[in-house]
Amino acid sequence: EAGVTQFPSHSVIEKGQTVTLRCDPISGHDNLYWYRRVMGKEIKFLLHFVKESKQDESGMPNNRFLAERTGGTYSTLKVQPAELEDSGVYFCASSQVTSGNPQYFGPGTRLTVT
Amino acid sequence: QKEVEQNSGPLSVPEGAIASLNCTYSDRGSQSFFWYRQYSGKSPELIMFIYSNGDKEDGRFTAQLNKASQYVSLLIRDSQPSDSATYLCAVNVGGNMLTFGGGTRLMVKP
């Protein structure tokens, strides 16, 4: 069974540009999560989808970040316009059931904003 | 006070020894507890989870949970150089998001 996949693995963009990250969860996992780790900090929650619906987006830093999960399969996270402080590693995770079940992480996308 | 705290390390143990990794959390409502292993530049890999007070064993790994004292620990028996990694403690308070500690770097010396 394939794990969580993310694309691209690394992205370097200039301040003010737009970047879109993609996550494909484990097949059959209705729950999809986005997390971010900025340099020297802990991994922080961004948002949670159940199928195509946003269940919790309390961790989204501001309205420059837009997440979608059309059709309840893969998800995209768009940053527009990117700022320097958006640099970090963006992880996607998925789980079968909510409420405390283990979450399985993808390899992450390392975003560098220059 | 951070919600989930870990000693950043590095924790250095000789090959074959027991490595003990600790984690404390602040929210008494925390319900689920997870240990992830992360090699440099890689994704967090789930190695253990525990929901109830006491011990849970899986191979060389034992997770221990004490809700009254608000700590969770991970023991690695017969440590191997391949166990050298950063170990992340994650807590689910309610809802679904995980709150992570900063991680403890473990070094197992041959």
Side-chain angles (χ1 to χ4, degrees):
Chain A
E1 179 184 274
V4 177
T5 58
Q6 293 186 244
F7 182 83
S9 59
H10 193 178
S11 179
V12 181
I13 61 171
E14 293 183 354
K15 177 182 172 181
Q17 290 186 322
T18 297
V19 63
T20 300
L21 315 180
R22 172 172 170 145
C23 168
D24 286 77
I26 293 171
S27 179
H29 282 193
D30 286 339
N31 295 276
L32 186 150
Y33 311 81
W34 284 98
Y35 291 85
R36 176 175 74 170
R37 185 170 201 168
V38 297
M39 182 76 75
K41 301 287 188 181
E42 300 85 3
I43 296 174
K44 294 284 191 184
F45 168 80
L46 295 178
L47 88 160
H48 168 216
F49 283 99
V50 177
K51 297 185 179 179
E52 67 275 8
S53 300
K54 290 177 186 174
Q55 186 78 8
D56 180 355
E57 50 185 331
S58 61
M60 295 287 264
N62 51 60
N63 60 9
R64 295 185 293 104
F65 289 76
L66 176 63
E68 295 180 323
R69 192 182 182 194
T70 306
T73 53
Y74 70 90
S75 174
T76 58
L77 179 64
K78 180 160 63 173
V79 185
Q80 179 183 31
E83 298 289 345
L84 298 178
E85 63 264 26
D86 300 332
S87 296
V89 182
Y90 290 76
F91 291 106
C92 176
S94 71
S95 69
Q96 275 187 311
V97 193
T98 54
S99 196
N101 267 52
Q103 297 177 21
Y104 299 91
F105 280 72
T109 294
R110 180 173 296 277
L111 175 64
T112 303
V113 183
T114 62
Chain B
Q1 181 189 11
K2 292 183 179 179
E3 294 180 73
V4 179
E5 294 212 51
Q6 297 180 254
N7 188 317
S8 61
L11 172 65
S12 181
V13 301
E15 183 175 357
I18 295 175
S20 178
L21 304 160
N22 299 310
C23 170
T24 59
Y25 59 94
S26 61
D27 194 319
R28 287 194 172 274
S30 300
Q31 299 169 347
S32 311
F33 307 85
F34 304 87
W35 283 100
Y36 287 84
R37 177 175 62 197
Q38 188 175 27
Y39 294 110
S40 181
K42 302 295 184 182
S43 63
E45 174 193 5
L46 179 69
I47 53 173
M48 289 288 288
F49 56 91
I50 187 167
Y51 302 139
S52 304
N53 274 331
D55 294 0
K56 180 181 178 182
E57 187 174 318
D58 184 1
R60 295 187 297 112
F61 299 99
T62 298
Q64 299 175 319
L65 174 61
N66 184 323
K67 289 188 177 180
S69 300
Q70 295 176 242
Y71 83 78
V72 56
S73 61
L74 179 70
L75 301 179
I76 306 175
R77 289 181 298 282
D78 189 23
S79 296
Q80 301 297 308
S82 58
D83 294 326
S84 297
T86 295
Y87 288 80
L88 302 169
C89 172
V91 175
N92 177 253
V93 174
N96 303 289
M97 68 168 154
L98 294 179
T99 300
F100 282 85
T104 298
R105 189 156 69 95
L106 173 66
M107 298 173 58
V108 181
K109 296 187 174 180

